[in-house]
Amino acid sequence: MEHFDLIIIGGGPIGLACGVEAKKAGLNYLILEKGALTNSIFNYPINMTFFSTSDRLEMAGIPFMSVGNKPTRTEALEYYRRIFFHFDLNVKLYEGVETLSKAGDFFQIKTSKSTYSTKKIVMATGFYDLPNLMNVPGENLPKVMHYYKEPWPFIGQKVLVVGGANSAVDAALETWRKGAEVSMVLLEDEVDQNVKYWVRPDIMNRIKEGSIKAYTKSRVKEIRPNEVVISTLEGEVTIENDFVLAMTGYKPNFALLEQLGVEMSEDEKRQPCYDQYNQESNVPGVYLAGVVCGGLNTREFFIENSIVHAESIVRDIVEKLD
C-alpha cells in the first residue's frame, strides 16, 4: 500500500491547483481522477464558451491565453494540460475512488486499481458527475440524455430540452440551428435570469417568434419511445419526440463525503460542514475544495472564486503535519 502525506480526489482545475500548491510545499501527494484530466470540462458541450474571462481562471502564475474575451472548452482543456505538464503533477487518471475509511491516524482509499493510505484528504470532486434525475417513467430509455455534447446527431429530429439554465439554452439553440425541431420544458415562466447575457436574448427571441416551442411552468410526466407527456397549467400535452435532452443540473458525490462522516446541513442545500478559514471539514484531516463546498447550491462556487482554496488548504496541512 502506497502512503502519501496528501491525496486529492478530483483532477479538475481545483484539484490541479491543490496539487500545484502541494508540490510547491514539498508534500508527498497524489491526485486521483476517475476520468480524463479535467474530466468535467472534457464532458462540457464541444462549443461551450466560459462565462468568466481567461485571466480569472489562471493559476500558479501561468497565463491563460484565449483568442476571444471568454475562453472556449478547447482552450481550457489545453490550458490545464499545460498546467499538468509544466508542474509535472502526480496524477493517476481513469482511477475512480470506491471506498474511503479511517484506521487510526491514517485514511485508507480503495480505488478501481489500487489501495492507498494518507494523512490528509482533499475532496475536489466538483458536481458534474451525477445528474439530477427527473424520476419519471421512461427516463431510462436510450433516447434520454443528461449530457449534451454537440448538435449533429439531432439533425431533422424532434428534440425536447428539459431545463432553462445555460446548458439547456445552449443545447436548444445549437440543435435548432442544425435543423432539429426543438421544444423546451421550463419550470418557470421563462428561461433562467442567470443565463449568459449574450445568449439569453437569442433564446427569448426564438421562443417569442415560435421557432422554439416553450412549455412554461411545466414538467415532464412520462417519456415513451416515440412521444413525451408534459404536465402544463392547461393540462397534459403529448408531443411526438425522438430525443430528450434532460439538462436538469447536477449534484456532488455525497456518498464519498458520507463515507468519511462529513456532516451536511439539513436544509435543501445539503451544504457540507467546513471551516471557511482553512477548508477543513468537521472530520479532522478532510478538506473540501471547489464546487463541492456548496452542496446542492452549485451556483455559489466557480473555478475563479475557488482557486484560493488550494493555498488555504495546503498552508493548513503543512502547519499540522508532524
Side-chain angles (χ1 to χ4, degrees):
M1 185 187 303
E2 290 186 80
H3 176 75
F4 295 89
D5 296 327
L6 168 65
I7 289 183
I8 301 157
I9 302 176
I14 306 305
L16 296 183
C18 290
V20 170
E21 294 300 323
K23 184 160 189 175
K24 288 163 58 177
L27 297 177
N28 179 24
Y29 74 95
L30 172 66
I31 301 173
L32 294 171
E33 168 55 57
K34 73 174 188 178
L37 190 71
T38 59
N39 194 60
S40 293
I41 295 177
F42 173 74
N43 283 313
Y44 285 170
I46 289 176
N47 298 319
M48 195 212 78
T49 299
F50 280 77
F51 195 95
S52 303
T53 54
S54 57
D55 60 299
R56 303 289 296 274
L57 304 178
E58 291 178 355
M59 68 171 70
I62 305 298
F64 187 162
M65 306 301 295
S66 61
V67 175
N69 184 42
K70 300 180 184 299
T72 64
R73 165 188 173 273
T74 300
E75 289 172 331
L77 289 172
E78 173 60 21
Y79 176 71
Y80 296 116
R81 184 194 71 84
R82 290 195 294 116
I83 292 288
F84 170 68
F85 282 110
H86 178 83
F87 290 98
D88 191 23
L89 295 175
N90 186 23
V91 182
K92 289 187 181 292
L93 301 172
Y94 303 101
E95 186 166 346
V97 172
E98 296 179 348
T99 60
L100 300 168
S101 60
K102 189 172 185 181
D105 295 331
F106 297 93
F107 295 97
Q108 184 171 300
I109 300 177
K110 184 180 182 300
T111 73
S112 55
K113 297 180 180 181
S114 188
T115 302
Y116 308 94
S117 70
T118 181
K119 292 183 179 180
K120 308 288 184 181
I121 292 178
V122 172
M123 302 292 294
T125 48
F127 73 98
Y128 200 62
D129 290 333
L130 301 175
N132 292 319
L133 300 179
M134 296 178 289
N135 296 313
V136 299
E139 189 170 8
N140 60 342
L141 288 172
K143 72 172 188 175
V144 181
M145 304 173 186
H146 288 277
Y147 294 89
Y148 167 77
K149 293 291 288 185
E150 55 185 340
W152 308 109
F154 309 106
I155 296 171
Q157 303 299 293
K158 293 178 173 61
V159 176
L160 179 67
V161 178
V162 184
N166 281 301
S167 57
V169 169
D170 286 344
L173 288 172
E174 284 192 10
T175 53
W176 172 73
R177 287 201 162 88
K178 298 305 179 186
E181 181 182 320
V182 179
S183 302
M184 298 183 74
V185 169
L186 306 173
L187 284 176
E188 306 299 332
D189 55 5
E190 61 181 8
V191 298
D192 198 309
Q193 293 287 342
N194 294 315
V195 167
K196 290 175 282 194
Y197 64 84
W198 64 93
V199 175
R200 195 170 189 276
D202 189 359
I203 188 66
M204 296 295 287
N205 287 332
R206 302 294 75 76
I207 292 173
K208 183 178 180 180
E209 70 187 14
S211 298
I212 294 176
K213 169 66 176 178
Y215 296 91
T216 59
K217 293 187 177 297
S218 301
R219 294 177 179 271
V220 172
K221 182 178 180 181
E222 183 181 355
I223 302 170
R224 300 168 182 165
N226 299 307
E227 58 189 16
V228 175
V229 181
I230 304 169
S231 294
T232 74
L233 292 178
E234 289 75 36
E236 290 185 5
V237 176
T238 301
I239 63 172
E240 294 182 6
N241 174 260
D242 298 307
F243 290 97
V244 176
L245 301 180
M247 304 289 99
T248 49
Y250 308 91
K251 59 186 177 183
N253 190 341
F254 290 121
L256 291 179
L257 297 176
E258 290 168 347
Q259 285 183 29
L260 290 170
V262 175
E263 296 177 357
M264 282 165 277
S265 63
E266 296 182 357
D267 58 13
E268 67 280 359
K269 291 183 179 181
R270 293 203 70 197
Q271 187 168 16
C273 176
Y274 70 97
D275 186 333
Q276 295 185 22
Y277 172 74
N278 58 14
Q279 302 298 125
E280 189 172 25
S281 74
N282 62 286
V283 180
V286 177
Y287 296 80
L288 308 179
V291 179
V292 70
C293 296
L296 293 177
N297 182 15
T298 56
R299 294 181 177 180
E300 183 175 348
F301 295 96
F302 308 92
I303 297 173
E304 64 183 61
N305 68 0
S306 299
I307 292 176
V308 295
H309 293 173
E311 186 175 346
S312 300
I313 290 170
V314 172
R315 180 177 60 245
D316 193 69
I317 289 174
V318 170
E319 291 175 355
K320 292 177 178 177
L321 278 175
D322 295 334

